[in-house]
Amino acid sequence: MIESQIESQNFIGGEWAPADSGETSEIINPSKPSEVLGTTPSSSADEVSRAVEAAAGALPEWKSMLPSGRGAIMMKAADIIEEKTDELASLMARETGKPMGESLMEVARAAAIFRFYGSEGWRLDGTIPPSTRPGIQISSVREPLGVVALITPWNFPLAIPSWKMAPALICGNTIVIKPASNAALNAASLMQVLSEAGLPEGVVNMVTGSGGAVGDPLVTDPRVKGVSFTGSTSVGLGIQERAVGKKVQLEMGGKNPYVVMEDADLTDAAQKVAFSAFGYAGQKCTATSRAVVVESVYDEFIEELKSATEATKFGDVFDDDTAAGPVVNKSQYNDILAAIETAKKDGRVIVDGGATGLEEDGYFISPVIVADVDNASETAQEEIFGPVLAVIKARDFDHAVEIANDTRYGLTAGIATRSLRYTQEFSERSEVGIVNVNTPTAGVEFHVPFGGVKESGVGPKEQGTAGLDFYSTWKTVAIRAV
Ligand code: NAP
């Protein structure tokens, strides 16, 4: 277990250091807001500049190391993550309010990600196609970008930093990460792991502080060649504007639909929708927030959905069967409660949840379901990032697909059906990066490409071997022996 208070610091050039100003911000346990878990430095442009300098200084040696050597360090990091599983998961549950069961799975996933990309050290691909010119050998190889900036959200506090760092490292880049202020202790624990694994000084650097004070100077620093961001669409699109001349990868918000067809197993479909909408209190980019149901099974599905929601357990993040704890902080809590007021005007209330009235005992919000929602309404169009589900009626399959696609977002979409035709057509016509057939929208696998389209995703996909594409650039070499 962690100590009750952690005084975290920045990690620059292999050393832990406070902000020059000495200023810190407190990290609060959202399950129990009176409990301060620790503090993290409130840094500024000066610390960012030093971190970029450290990363630039470490670059020549790191990129010239054999990829298998880089991979060996990453494998070691995976081992250490596994050795620290209970400590890391417990910190995650306390810092972000993620249920312990899910936190344990996230720690395992972080280890698997380091192992997956570590093993790419033996495999990093290139091509040697036949040249069109006689006597010439032509080949293309991957090269690192250089110093990359990673900006991460709080909701997957180990997995997202890992799935950005690991492909960046195996490709030979050096890193400055600015973690979410709400997950800075988790990020610091990952720095500790990498340091214990023997990562050379300066290869990974972390600077904590607000988006404006730390994120802005980081994305505009001319020494930074690539920016990989995960977070809200508004912040992401702002970063894209400011990161002039850099390679940019943005993974952003979602308003993910789940279509329920007349031939579906409605009990199973309701369980998948409730799990995806309310697990982790709806705070996943892949959460289902719109159930689009054809009219012939609309009322029946709503009854199933009510039962599935009632069976979902909310409360203490350390109970084994808890699916959702609190939302992450007071500001999210207030925003979600305001969105619930709007939702109750935008639809017929089916499950009347909301604030538990015990804010001092944690930022808990119970699920809210509203039906008969117009897809043009605010509730159906704006990401709430909380346990709120809109149910929307569709005439038939074509109408359901039209509604599902009628959003500026395009991360993931699900369908409940037994029909091969619906399955095929839905997969082809869905304007998203991920399609789920009879499986939850929430929950993805680390070894396949992940990411959205439209305003959910910009640039190359993350995860799987596709995750290498952002962190490398192709160099083509033509050789003629004389
Ligand atoms: P957020 O408010 O956009 O913050 C994300 C990160 O950006 C944080 O580190 C934040 O720092 C930083 N930031 C804020 N303003 C910035 C600026 N001006 N310049 C540079 N960086 C800045 O998002 P969040 O609340 O942490 O996470 C929830 C959002 O993430 C949701 O919209 C969710 O859908 C999305 N998400 C998407 C994916 C995906 O793969 N598509 C995965 C997970 C989450 P501070 O923490 O200091 O504000």
Side-chain angles (χ1 to χ4, degrees):
M1 292 289 287
I2 56 160
E3 317 88 81
S4 56
Q5 287 243 1
I6 303 170
E7 280 183 28
S8 181
Q9 297 193 319
N10 290 323
F11 187 64
I12 299 176
E15 299 200 342
W16 295 96
D20 293 352
S21 66
E23 283 176 25
T24 58
S25 47
E26 288 184 339
I27 305 263
I28 305 294
N29 179 350
S31 294
K32 194 176 165 202
S34 57
E35 185 187 350
V36 177
L37 296 176
T39 58
T40 100
S42 301
S43 313
S44 66
D46 291 342
E47 290 85 347
V48 171
S49 183
R50 281 207 299 281
V52 175
E53 193 179 321
L59 183 65
E61 201 177 322
W62 182 247
K63 79 177 203 187
S64 60
M65 193 172 179
L66 284 175
S68 56
R70 296 197 289 262
I73 295 171
M74 292 164 64
M75 298 287 192
K76 177 82 181 142
D79 292 344
I80 297 171
I81 289 171
E82 275 170 356
E83 282 159 23
K84 295 184 181 218
T85 292
D86 289 342
E87 179 190 339
L88 292 170
S90 163
L91 177 61
M92 191 181 300
R94 295 173 73 199
E95 188 175 24
T96 67
K98 179 170 286 199
M100 188 64 179
E102 218 173 312
S103 297
L104 286 165
M105 286 193 281
E106 184 168 337
V107 174
R109 185 169 166 193
I113 288 166
F114 273 100
R115 229 166 246 137
F116 178 84
Y117 286 108
S119 69
E120 283 300 315
W122 293 300
R123 266 193 306 262
L124 276 178
D125 59 333
T127 59
I128 312 182
S131 173
T132 55
R133 294 170 287 170
I136 304 276
Q137 188 201 62
I138 194 156
S139 62
S140 299
V141 293
R142 287 185 188 273
E143 289 217 323
L145 302 184
V147 177
V148 293
L150 311 181
I151 300 182
T152 52
W154 47 265
N155 64 338
F156 288 89
L158 278 189
I160 292 180
S162 299
W163 83 50
K164 291 185 190 297
M165 280 186 200
L169 289 173
I170 201 64
C171 287
N173 301 278
T174 56
I175 294 171
V176 178
I177 181 169
K178 185 227 131 6
S181 299
N182 255 113
L185 299 182
N186 271 270
S189 62
L190 200 49
M191 296 301 109
Q192 182 65 33
V193 164
L194 291 168
S195 165
E196 286 173 26
L199 197 72
E201 290 171 4
V203 171
V204 174
N205 307 273
M206 177 188 77
V207 183
T208 64
S210 75
V214 172
D216 263 340
L218 184 55
V219 301
T220 52
D221 190 306
R223 296 166 292 180
V224 169
K225 303 302 177 200
V227 179
S228 178
F229 165 86
T230 299
S232 60
T233 295
S234 56
V235 172
L237 295 180
I239 285 175
Q240 187 179 30
E241 272 178 24
R242 290 192 300 282
V244 181
K246 302 182 199 308
K247 195 170 177 183
V248 175
Q249 175 182 56
L250 309 171
E251 289 303 339
M252 304 179 283
K255 196 72 198 175
N256 309 302
Y258 210 100
V259 167
V260 181
M261 293 307 302
E262 67 280 351
D263 64 339
D265 174 335
L266 294 183
T267 308
D268 183 66
Q271 285 165 357
K272 299 296 174 290
V273 170
F275 170 85
S276 299
F278 304 126
Y280 194 18
Q283 300 173 110
K284 296 179 185 174
C285 52
T286 51
T288 296
S289 52
R290 295 179 297 144
V292 183
V293 186
V294 292
E295 58 192 5
S296 56
V297 292
Y298 190 76
D299 294 333
E300 202 184 333
F301 176 73
I302 284 176
E303 288 311 307
E304 293 284 357
L305 188 58
K306 277 202 264 187
S307 309
T309 304
E310 275 158 23
T312 309
K313 186 158 174 256
F314 301 88
D316 187 343
V317 294
F318 286 100
D319 280 356
D320 282 348
D321 51 352
T322 295
V327 301
V328 73
N329 60 30
K330 188 161 190 178
S331 138
Q332 279 290 111
Y333 179 80
N334 289 335
D335 288 353
I336 294 167
L337 292 182
I340 287 173
E341 287 313 304
T342 305
K344 288 180 178 175
K345 290 183 200 125
D346 282 344
R348 172 168 59 94
V349 177
I350 299 297
V351 173
D352 191 7
T356 55
L358 292 169
E359 196 184 303
E360 65 280 9
D361 291 341
Y363 302 126
F364 291 95
I365 297 179
S366 65
V368 172
I369 303 178
V370 288
D372 308 344
V373 174
D374 182 341
N375 195 55
S377 68
E378 188 178 326
T379 300
Q381 290 294 326
E382 297 301 321
E383 185 183 47
I384 296 172
F385 223 56
V388 183
L389 177 70
V391 185
I392 302 164
K393 192 184 281 188
R395 288 186 301 278
D396 53 20
F397 177 72
D398 285 332
H399 190 212
V401 174
E402 189 187 312
I403 293 170
N405 284 336
D406 183 12
T407 165
R408 66 189 173 115
Y409 296 108
L411 185 53
T412 173
I415 185 168
T417 183
R418 292 182 172 102
S419 153
L420 190 53
R421 179 174 84 77
Y422 289 153
T423 298
Q424 270 185 335
E425 277 203 33
F426 188 75
S427 309
E428 284 165 18
R429 289 167 59 184
S430 285
E431 297 166 359
V432 292
I434 304 155
V435 171
N436 290 282
V437 181
N438 300 317
T439 53
T441 56
V444 291
E445 298 182 44
F446 64 85
H447 59 305
V448 289
F450 172 84
V453 298
K454 293 156 77 175
E455 290 191 19
S456 289
V458 168
K461 297 280 179 272
E462 302 202 274
Q463 307 200 57
T465 48
L468 302 171
D469 293 340
F470 176 72
Y471 296 100
S472 58
T473 181
W474 288 104
K475 179 182 273 178
T476 293
V477 181
I479 300 172
R480 186 174 66 87
V482 289

